[in-house]
Amino acid sequence: MTIITTERAGDVLVVISNNPPVNALGHAVRDGLAKAIDAAAADPAIKAVVIRCEGRTFFAGADITEFGKPMKDPQLPELLERIEALDKPVVAAIHGTALGGGLETALACHYRVAVPSAKLGLPEVKLGILPGAGGTQRLPRVVGAEAALEMIVGGAPIGAKKAAEVGLVDRLAAEDNLAAEAIAFAREVADKRPLPRTSERKAAAEPGMFEAFRAKNAKKMKGFEAPEACIEAIQAAVDLPFREGLEVERRLIAKLIVSDQSKAQRHIFFAERAAAKVDGLPTDTPLIPVKSVGVIGAGTMGGGIAMNFLSIGVPVTILEAEQAALDRGVGVIAKNYANNVKSGRMTEAQVEKAMALLKPTLSYDDLAQADLVIEAVFENMDVKKEVFARLDKAAKPGAILATNTSYLDVDEIASVTARPEYVLGMHFFSPANVMKLLEVVRGAKTSDSVLATAMALAKQIRKIAVVAGVCHGFIGNRMLKPRQDQAGQLILEGAKPSDVDRVFLDFGFPMGPFQLADLAGLDIGWHRDPTRRETVREALCAEGRLGQKSGGGFYDYDEKRQRTPSPVAERIIAEFAAAKGIPQRQISDEEIRERCLYTMVNEGAKILEEGKAQRASDIDVVWVYGYGWPVYRGGPMLWADQIGLKTVVDGLKRQADRLGPDFSLSPLLVAKAEKGETFN
Ligand code: 3HC
Ligand code: NAI
């Protein structure tokens, strides 16, 4: 197949790229474009050029799979200079997404025509790099430095209509007539001189803008290397002539592209896409149509789960045991939607439409027509079994029955039904209407169609699904356990909760384990008997310290919920340790990291060993999208690869005596460390 072809439309040369799936600017594309531009330059009969793409999108960027390898000529920056230097107008005809190198190509063209549904953006920052083909220098010259900062440092694309407003798109074309309108436009401008070359413009900026932008976005940018580099490059576009600015851009990208952060972010990009693929599941596995959904339990999770489907237009019947709980649950859904309107994420009309699709009920009969029912009742096996037994009778044959259990055995739950092949886990994360991750738990008998349907549905509700096998806590919560155990033990041996949390914050987590515990409430699962003090949490609850909501837990909180280390909590912890006869000592940050994070890697390796996750990168996706693992560290398994598996094993061996009786080294981890291998 020829990737770049050309066609003559009178005196316009139309250059067409056909490089599925997303027209990434790999070597063959660059080479073909360069030859087409040379041909246009050499042929006096050609008055203008249109560059357009076949398939679902305009160029979606550089070919990320070429990163880290020697790049073959022509390189993108040089190619773009040749396009811009051509003495005949070049028009980019944009549909789908013009992203990264794709938008940079469009910026090097003299004009841009786009359909209204097109999106334009420079998302490189999300891959830990910056636009490296002149984007940091050209975009500010077209839209101004302030808008360029938003687009380049934020990384989110803008719609073509907005792009037309800010001068990034010269003309909007009808959705189904782009090619013809772009050619017509090229004819209109064929004789116009001088050619509008972006590099010859000046980038406008208000004084103090860069400092203000840094201050406003400090929290979002914390820990990441690429955003600051983007800002520096845009500043160069304002301060320096084009060519010198390009040099700054080149120097900065050269450094970023080989950084661990960029490798980690690129890893997550591909890991996210790999997670959608289920090994051994034929791609033509028939899907079960899901046109209506049932949810059992309208608590914290049930409400959020329902919102996912309501928001994409799928009717939901939500069932509770009692009217009061049902009313409360529906009230919370309505309130969450109202907040979405306040924050501008939804319109009143969208919310009305979504709420009209919600049917609250107390009767299982109302679940008879649902194609999928998701259970989100209390985390208790007996309750779940009772619910599934009733549901099995009420639901129609062929309906999928899913459980949102956090830890429990999905096969045991399935065993009370007459249709275990239709049962699986769909483990959402809180808040379920917001969090991107969905663990899809494949039971021993779950059928291929049921699994494939759950994966496809996840995509529809814009979740990132990862397949997990049945085991206690699946992937995420199973790995959380050693971390929680070690954190709990460390504060009994002399570390303060704030010491442990600081190590997590420095690592890049949004919160440490004790901050998180205080936020969730220490009384989750508490038996409410103040005389029983078998754990530190029980001791804290016994003294009324239930977490943020009671003004204190592991920390003290003021009215604004600002936390400070708590002398009272520390006394309670010290008394508890003394009663258990645990000697106190100085604990280093290194020990906290080794005990809390290396044990997670070890558990991840066991999950792989047992085949409970399909691949190491799936584990990374779970931790980045479900638990706030910093994306620039690529998830626990990639992080372990980067620091070296031998380092992890040595650290675990060093701590072996302190890790408790439940700990054992993963043979897979040890074997890989000995052979100098990695997980990814
Ligand atoms: N390079 C290589 N492969 C890419 C790619 C790219 N830039 N973009 C997407 N792909 C691959 C995906 O890995 C996937 O492969 P698979 O089918 O084997 O899993 C396939 O193309 C389809 O991608 P999606 O599943 O993501 O398709 P969607 O239709 O959901 O999304 C998209 C399309 C919005 C274009 C999305 O793929 C995307 O965001 N791509 C990345 C865009 C990007 O980051 N561009 C900047 C690249 S860096 C750059 O340009 C540097 C320059 O400044 C020098
Ligand atoms: P919750 O206590 O907020 O809600 C449970 C709801 O189920 C209550 O409203 C209760 O009235 C209802 N319920 C109980 N028994 C019922 C029955 N027999 N029939 C109908 N309704 C019944 O609990 P939450 O947090 O929503 O958890 C639900 C499930 O989701 C649990 O299995 C939990 O492990 C899991 N989960 C919880 C997460 C969280 O962060 N809260 C995260 C992921 C999963």
Side-chain angles (χ1 to χ4, degrees):
M1 188 184 68
T2 316
I3 288 185
I4 299 288
T5 50
T6 53
E7 273 172 21
R8 285 287 294 269
D11 50 9
V12 176
L13 182 75
V14 184
V15 183
I16 304 159
S17 170
N18 190 1
N19 186 28
V22 296
N23 279 305
L25 287 149
H27 175 251
V29 176
R30 299 195 304 271
D31 192 46
L33 285 176
K35 289 191 173 121
I37 292 298
D38 288 350
D43 187 345
I46 290 171
K47 296 274 185 275
V49 178
V50 166
I51 299 178
R52 71 171 180 85
C53 293
E54 283 293 321
R56 64 168 120 144
T57 178
F58 191 73
F59 307 113
D63 185 338
I64 308 169
T65 59
E66 287 183 353
F67 287 13
K69 300 175 195 153
M71 195 76 90
K72 281 204 266 174
D73 286 335
Q75 313 270 326
L76 192 57
E78 283 73 30
L79 167 64
L80 300 192
E81 291 208 30
R82 275 156 79 177
I83 294 177
E84 197 184 43
L86 190 70
D87 57 2
K88 302 169 186 185
V90 184
V91 178
I94 302 169
H95 76 292
T97 41
L99 298 179
L103 180 54
E104 290 176 297
T105 303
L107 281 163
C109 294
H110 307 109
Y111 300 98
R112 289 157 290 281
V113 175
V115 293
S117 62
K119 290 200 159 60
L120 299 86
L122 293 174
E124 284 88 341
V125 72
K126 294 185 183 162
L127 301 170
I129 56 171
L130 48 70
T136 64
Q137 303 307 299
R138 286 196 178 91
L139 187 66
R141 285 178 160 81
V142 176
V143 301
E146 189 156 15
L149 275 173
E150 292 294 341
M151 283 180 73
I152 295 175
V153 184
I158 60 171
K161 286 186 194 154
K162 172 90 191 289
E165 279 164 27
V166 297
L168 181 54
V169 162
D170 300 288
R171 181 165 301 170
L172 290 170
E175 256 348 299
D176 54 359
N177 201 30
L178 177 64
E181 291 190 39
I183 292 167
F185 182 87
R187 285 203 186 105
E188 268 176 49
V189 296
D191 297 323
K192 254 186 148 179
R193 295 293 183 278
L195 286 169
R197 291 196 173 94
T198 306
S199 63
E200 290 168 3
R201 297 170 64 170
K202 277 201 85 59
E206 297 292 322
M209 199 194 70
F210 288 97
E211 290 66 34
F213 184 87
R214 279 193 182 93
K216 191 174 117 205
N217 293 286
K219 207 168 154 204
K220 268 193 252 167
M221 301 189 327
K222 190 170 165 261
F224 288 89
E225 289 160 4
E228 180 54 35
C230 291
I231 298 175
E232 227 178 280
I234 299 166
Q235 178 106 49
V238 173
D239 295 344
L240 302 175
F242 183 71
R243 218 140 278 289
E244 287 173 40
L246 274 188
E247 278 312 310
V248 172
E249 179 189 276
R250 199 158 299 192
R251 177 172 53 74
L252 290 167
I253 195 171
K255 204 165 136 212
L256 288 176
I257 208 151
V258 293
S259 68
D260 276 352
Q261 287 205 353
S262 173
K263 285 181 197 151
Q265 288 178 260
R266 268 139 52 196
H267 164 72
I268 288 297
F269 176 86
F270 287 114
E272 187 184 320
R273 284 156 180 83
K277 301 183 175 90
V278 186
D279 292 341
L281 195 70
T283 43
D284 58 353
T285 305
L287 299 181
I288 300 168
V290 175
K291 298 209 167 61
S292 65
V293 170
V295 173
I296 307 185
T300 308
M301 296 305 290
I305 293 170
M307 287 175 75
N308 285 303
F309 294 97
L310 296 171
S311 299
I312 61 157
V314 173
V316 176
T317 303
I318 192 158
L319 180 141
E320 259 291 344
E322 284 166 20
Q323 189 64 46
L326 189 59
D327 293 344
R328 195 173 52 236
V330 172
V332 172
I333 295 176
K335 195 172 129 225
N336 285 338
Y337 272 133
N339 286 340
N340 284 354
V341 174
K342 265 189 226 150
S343 67
R345 264 171 295 174
M346 286 177 93
T347 62
E348 293 270 6
Q350 285 170 324
V351 165
E352 248 172 59
K353 208 170 131 207
M355 284 304 285
L357 293 168
L358 180 65
K359 179 176 177 185
T361 186
L362 296 174
S363 162
Y364 275 78
D365 295 343
D366 289 328
L367 298 179
Q369 291 315 312
D371 300 306
L372 160 72
V373 181
I374 304 171
E375 163 278 314
V377 303
F378 300 138
E379 183 75 347
N380 174 299
M381 183 55 94
D382 293 336
V383 179
K384 301 239 188 235
K385 279 182 168 171
E386 194 197 309
V387 166
F388 268 77
R390 287 185 73 177
L391 179 58
D392 188 33
K393 291 200 178 67
K396 68 182 179 189
I400 301 173
L401 312 184
T403 171
N404 183 48
T405 179
S406 306
Y407 291 94
L408 300 174
D409 183 337
V410 173
D411 291 329
E412 193 177 335
I413 295 173
S415 73
V416 302
T417 73
R419 57 172 110 185
E421 65 279 17
Y422 283 92
V423 177
L424 85 171
M426 288 179 76
H427 181 212
F428 291 79
F429 288 71
S430 182
N433 52 321
V434 176
M435 294 293 287
K436 296 282 282 176
L437 181 66
L438 178 70
E439 277 184 330
V440 173
V441 187
R442 181 184 205 168
K445 295 187 179 160
T446 307
S447 79
D448 283 359
S449 274
V450 168
L451 184 65
T453 302
M455 297 301 285
L457 264 180
K459 204 162 182 185
Q460 276 181 40
I461 58 173
R462 289 183 273 284
K463 300 282 179 208
I464 297 167
V466 172
V467 177
V470 175
C471 58
H472 190 71
F474 318 119
I475 297 173
N477 283 342
R478 174 167 165 183
M479 286 168 72
L480 189 62
K481 185 168 187 307
R483 164 184 134 169
Q484 298 302 84
D485 288 351
Q486 292 305 319
Q489 199 54 35
L490 279 159
I491 58 168
L492 294 181
E493 293 173 23
K496 303 252 183 299
S498 55
D499 294 332
V500 177
D501 284 349
R502 182 176 34 77
V503 168
F504 277 83
L505 293 176
D506 289 349
F507 188 80
F509 277 97
M511 258 186 231
F514 297 104
Q515 281 174 269
L516 192 64
D518 275 355
L519 179 69
L522 303 185
D523 55 338
I524 291 183
W526 184 41
H527 41 68
R528 292 175 204 283
D529 173 3
T531 60
R532 209 178 97 184
R533 298 182 177 206
E534 280 163 25
T535 63
V536 168
R537 283 172 79 119
E538 285 175 9
L540 289 166
C541 286
E543 304 215 11
R545 301 187 67 87
L546 309 182
Q548 270 196 21
K549 61 184 168 190
S550 70
F554 285 104
Y555 294 92
D556 289 333
Y557 295 88
D558 64 18
E559 321 72 60
K560 288 191 187 140
R561 298 211 160 183
Q562 293 293 325
R563 67 177 191 286
T564 41
S566 166
V568 180
E570 282 160 21
R571 177 197 35 90
I572 295 171
I573 296 165
E575 283 171 6
F576 188 89
K580 297 267 175 204
I582 301 169
Q584 301 294 292
R585 62 192 171 82
Q586 276 289 325
I587 291 178
S588 68
D589 288 1
E590 189 58 22
E591 178 175 341
I592 296 172
R593 241 187 323 271
E594 290 179 348
R595 288 177 61 180
C596 293
L597 298 178
Y598 291 6
T599 48
M600 286 178 52
V601 173
N602 188 62
E603 198 62 38
K606 288 186 179 180
I607 287 172
L608 280 175
E609 233 161 60
E610 295 168 23
K612 302 298 181 191
Q614 302 189 85
R615 39 185 103 80
S617 64
D618 281 8
I619 298 177
D620 290 333
V621 169
V622 165
W623 273 83
V624 167
Y625 289 110
Y627 297 83
W629 187 284
V631 61
Y632 57 77
R633 293 195 200 272
M637 308 316 274
L638 186 88
W639 174 66
D641 288 344
Q642 288 189 335
I643 60 172
L645 300 189
K646 186 171 176 315
T647 307
V648 176
V649 171
D650 289 348
L652 288 169
K653 285 185 176 159
R654 198 166 36 245
Q655 301 297 342
D657 293 345
R658 297 176 175 140
L659 296 176
D662 293 341
F663 179 81
S664 64
L665 268 170
S666 148
L668 178 69
L669 174 62
V670 174
K672 280 193 172 288
E674 277 169 4
K675 287 190 233 156
E677 291 176 0
T678 55
F679 285 112
N680 285 288

